[in-house]
Amino acid sequence: MFEYYRKYARTIFDIAVIVFTGYVLMFLASLIFRVAKPIVYGLILYALIHPFVEALARRRVHRAVATTVVMLGFLLILLGLVTLGAVILVNELNSLAQNLPEYMRYLQRQFEQQTAHLQARLDRVPPEAIEEVQRYLTQAVDTINAWLKDGVFMLFNLVKGVPFRITQWVVHWGLAVIIAFFFSLEYDRFREAFHTRAPGTLRRAVRFLQENVLSGLGRYVKAQFKIVSITAMIIFVGMILLRMPNAFFVALLSGIADFVPVLGISSLFLPWIGYHLIVGDYRTALWVTVLYAVVVVVRQIVEPRIVGESLGVSPFTMLAAIIVSTSLFGAVGIFVAPVVVILIKALIEQGYFARWIRWPEDR
């Protein structure tokens, strides 16, 4: 064993240095995202408007005018889509609010029926057994009450911080719009200064990231939006065909839940199916289960193809990286993991790991 370690000592050291460097870079990326969110949002927004600004600039439109026109157009389109979605969402929520009391009454009737049925059966059970069951039920109720108290306390803390989070989100994106606007105005000056004053090593590194990582990240984002759009569309059309209420609202929630690692739409569908089973609405539970199965099957068919064609990386590899990154760096890891996976893939394809890792000659 000692001979084995001595033989591969340099290899182990090189791999350890690469892993440590990667961890440090991921930590710095997560730190920058937490500290400088408006700048990160601004760069993302700039990346979205840059192609349109360049298209107008090539038509000899002054860059300030082009940036202003594109930014205003982007904000107006975004505002229109948000307004349209908000109107549809409010109508769906109003419908849900009107039907919610009926749902609760139906649930109460089912509970009363099940309780009466259980009471009829308990009349034929010996008193000793009933006392034992009551003791266990009391413990179960106490446990559930403790869980409910903790849940209400967590919900209260979450709701209490919502106004602050909304205000913070609005301020961050407001600053992001300003940053993207001025960065677009100064883009030519920044590019010229970078090409003339930046060290050659830095220029080559940025070119490598631009040609391999950024383009791959763009393809990954497009692939994820394609998958989420397919999922939401299947759910929306399925609920319309089944004449279920709140189709748009459920499809929107499913699209949002689809971004959650591991759980995905299961976090929405499983409680939904469980509710219908509890209230005894087995027909609706069956159709919701069928819809859920269709979505899962379609995702299993479509996801490997879309992600594989766009990146050449298996969904399992990306999911494993997201889980590990999230465990290490929190929610920021969801955004850092795809960048790291794409970067590692590019480094392997370009042969950098083969140059950085020294292997024994007689391996």
Side-chain angles (χ1 to χ4, degrees), residues 332-343:
V332 182
I334 298 176
F335 307 98
V336 174
V339 178
V340 174
V341 171
I342 296 169
L343 176 61

Side-chain angles (χ1 to χ4, degrees), residues 248-299:
F248 179 81
F249 178 64
V250 174
L252 180 62
L253 281 182
S254 300
I256 296 173
D258 210 8
F259 285 103
V260 179
V262 183
L263 295 178
I265 60 172
S266 300
S267 59
L268 178 66
F269 270 83
L270 294 182
W272 189 11
I273 296 170
Y275 165 78
H276 287 291
L277 290 175
I278 291 173
V279 300
D281 190 1
Y282 301 115
R283 182 177 178 274
T284 304
L286 175 62
W287 283 118
V288 174
T289 304
V290 170
L291 180 60
Y292 174 61
V294 170
V295 173
V296 172
V297 170
V298 171
R299 279 186 61 92

Side-chain angles (χ1 to χ4, degrees), residues 20-69:
F20 177 75
T21 304
Y23 177 83
V24 171
L25 292 177
M26 292 177 67
F27 175 78
L28 291 177
S30 62
L31 182 63
I32 291 173
F33 183 80
R34 293 191 185 95
V35 174
K37 284 183 180 179
I39 298 176
V40 176
Y41 294 157
L43 293 178
I44 294 173
L45 183 58
Y46 164 76
L48 294 176
I49 68 171
H50 176 70
F52 303 100
V53 174
E54 289 298 316
L56 291 178
R58 286 194 295 269
R59 295 177 180 273
R60 298 187 179 181
V61 179
H62 194 273
R63 192 167 193 89
V65 177
T67 302
T68 304
V69 170

Side-chain angles (χ1 to χ4, degrees), residues 11 22 38 51 55 59 61 79 114 121 153 155 164-165 172-173 180 191 195 207 212 219 236 256 295 309 326 329 359:
T11 305
R59 295 177 180 273
V61 179
L79 181 62
Q114 295 296 329
R121 288 179 173 271
F153 182 73
L155 182 62
F164 172 75
R165 290 191 181 95
H172 284 170
W173 277 103
R191 183 176 61 178
H195 286 299
R207 190 181 306 114
N212 296 278
R219 294 194 300 271
F236 180 74
I256 296 173
V295 173
E309 289 180 354
T326 305
F329 306 106
W359 295 92

